[in-house]
Structure formats: structure tokens, C-alpha cells
Amino acid sequence: GAVVSQHPSRVICKSGTSVKIECRSLDFQATTMFWYRQFPKKSLMLMATSNEGSKATYEQGVEKDKFLINHASLTLSTLTVTSAHPEDSSFYICSARALAKNIQYFGAGTRLSVL
Amino acid sequence: QKEVEQNSGPLSVPEGAIASLNCTYSDRGSQSFFWYRQYSGKSPELIMSIYSNGDKEDGRFTAQLNKASQYVSLLIRDSQPSDSATYLCAVEGVGGTSYGKLTFGQGTILTVHP
């Protein structure tokens, strides 16, 4: 149990395009999902917290207009990187917090490369 | 600023030995603690969660928590080369805007050599 599906696993795109990443909890409901970013040889950096039915809350320094988050249901959250630039290239990872549990389960991650 | 600090690595142990990973945290009110394993290029995988003082064992893994000392550790017995990975200590926030959020340590790279 506790499977979180994230796709795509890898994206290569041109500068200026937008990229959407999906995060789904497959066998449990998640009122809260989190989006992280990880640079090489660094730890995970929380970008935003996504709550079902409400606006996402962003960590300090994260541009909300750049990283659009939608949490439309208890099993799906999406992150859209708008007008991507090479500096947005990174490993993006989502996690889902199981309802009635305080454990975060992670998706497999999306490696974004912006040319 | 809530902080989580892990012992600096990398840590190298021979196959079959015990690997000891340590973590301290700054928020005295923290109640939930996690160890994740991350292989290169992959996302974190939960190994252990611990919420009460003392030891919690699961197979070759033992997590130890001491809230008075604000210290949590992970022991890996009979280390195997497949245990070679980065180990992340994470502490869950308890109040206000930190509720439910994980703060990660910087990670300790473990290498188990045959």
C-alpha cells in the first residue's frame, strides 16, 4: 500500500515552454501533498504545500506564479512550471500525506531539463 | 529556524558491520521522526518512523529516539552493499505553518564495501 505515482519521470523541453507534473496517491486519500525540489548532491527543499480544495501555500522565495499548484481531489495534485528556463532544471519530487497518518510517501520524481 | 543536522559523511563500513547514522534537531516540540533512504537519481524511500523515546526495530534497522537530548539515530546491522545510499533524517513540524511539513537533514552518504 501507500503508493504515490508521479509522472512524467523525465522531461526535456525548450526554454519558454510550460511543463505539468502530476502526482497521484493510488491507494489512499491525501488531504495534503507536498512539492520538493532537489539539486545535485543537496537535500530536499520544500517548495509548497498543496491542500485539497484550497490554495497552495508556498515557502519563502518560491514564486507562486512560476510554479502553479492545483490540488483538485484527494488523490491528485499537479505542479506546472510556467515559462521554464534552464535554471528551473532540477529534480522535482512530490509526496502525499496519508489521511489519518502522519507519514509522507514520495513519488518517483520528475527530472526536468530545460534547454 | 527549525534545523535538522546529520553527522557529516561520507560513512564507509565493511560488509557485515554495523552502520550508525546520527541526527539532531532543534525544535524541542517535535514528535515525529523519520529515516528515508535515497539511492542516486531516485526519490526518498521511507525506512523507519519513530515517535516515542527508545528503540524501534524493523529487521536489520533500529531507530533510536531521545527527545530530551533531541537526538535520533539509525543503526543498520549486517550492512550490505545494497545499503549504500544517502540516508535522510526528517523531522515533522508540529505548530502553525510548520504542521505536517518535513524538515530534512543534509543527508549522510553511506558506502558499504565488500
Side-chain angles (χ1 to χ4, degrees):
Chain A
V3 176
V4 177
S5 171
Q6 182 177 344
H7 72 91
S9 59
R10 185 172 183 91
V11 179
I12 301 173
C13 68
K14 292 182 179 180
S15 185
T17 59
S18 294
V19 175
K20 181 188 257 188
I21 302 170
E22 286 192 354
C23 181
R24 292 181 185 272
S25 56
L26 296 186
D27 53 358
F28 66 98
Q29 292 183 326
T31 52
T32 306
M33 291 184 174
F34 301 88
W35 289 95
Y36 296 85
R37 184 174 181 175
Q38 187 176 34
F39 290 106
K41 301 189 186 302
K42 299 293 185 183
S43 193
L44 280 73
M45 183 193 78
L46 179 65
M47 299 175 64
T49 302
S50 169
N51 292 294
E52 186 265 338
S54 63
K55 289 184 179 179
T57 55
Y58 292 80
E59 296 301 300
Q60 191 172 6
V62 177
E63 301 175 58
K64 56 184 68 177
D65 294 331
K66 175 75 170 173
F67 300 100
L68 300 179
I69 291 172
N70 183 274
H71 194 155
S73 74
L74 285 173
T75 59
L76 173 65
S77 177
T78 60
L79 167 69
T80 301
V81 183
T82 61
S83 186
H85 291 284
E87 58 267 27
D88 298 323
S89 298
S90 190
F91 191 43
Y92 293 87
I93 311 172
C94 73
S95 73
R97 191 167 185 269
L99 195 64
K101 286 188 178 181
N102 62 343
I103 293 178
Q104 286 189 32
Y105 298 97
F106 285 83
T110 298
R111 193 161 302 282
L112 172 64
S113 299
V114 185
L115 305 177
Chain B
Q1 179 86 14
K2 296 177 175 55
E3 295 181 350
V4 178
E5 297 285 338
Q6 294 184 235
N7 53 322
S8 59
L11 177 65
S12 181
V13 301
E15 184 173 357
I18 296 175
S20 177
L21 304 164
N22 304 313
C23 175
T24 58
Y25 58 95
S26 64
D27 187 355
R28 185 169 287 279
S30 298
Q31 299 294 323
S32 304
F33 308 87
F34 307 89
W35 283 99
Y36 288 87
R37 175 175 63 195
Q38 187 175 26
Y39 291 112
S40 181
K42 304 295 184 181
S43 68
E45 170 193 10
L46 180 68
I47 297 178
M48 296 279 284
S49 59
I50 187 166
Y51 309 101
S52 304
N53 280 328
D55 295 358
K56 179 182 178 182
E57 187 174 317
D58 184 1
R60 295 185 296 111
F61 299 96
T62 299
Q64 299 173 319
L65 174 61
N66 184 325
K67 291 183 181 178
S69 301
Q70 295 174 238
Y71 174 91
V72 58
S73 66
L74 180 70
L75 298 177
I76 306 174
R77 289 183 301 281
D78 188 24
S79 296
Q80 301 297 309
S82 59
D83 294 327
S84 299
T86 298
Y87 288 80
L88 298 167
C89 172
V91 179
E92 187 178 61
V94 292
T97 58
S98 297
Y99 179 76
K101 296 180 182 178
L102 293 180
T103 300
F104 285 88
Q106 71 273 35
T108 300
I109 298 173
L110 171 66
T111 301
V112 181
H113 52 88

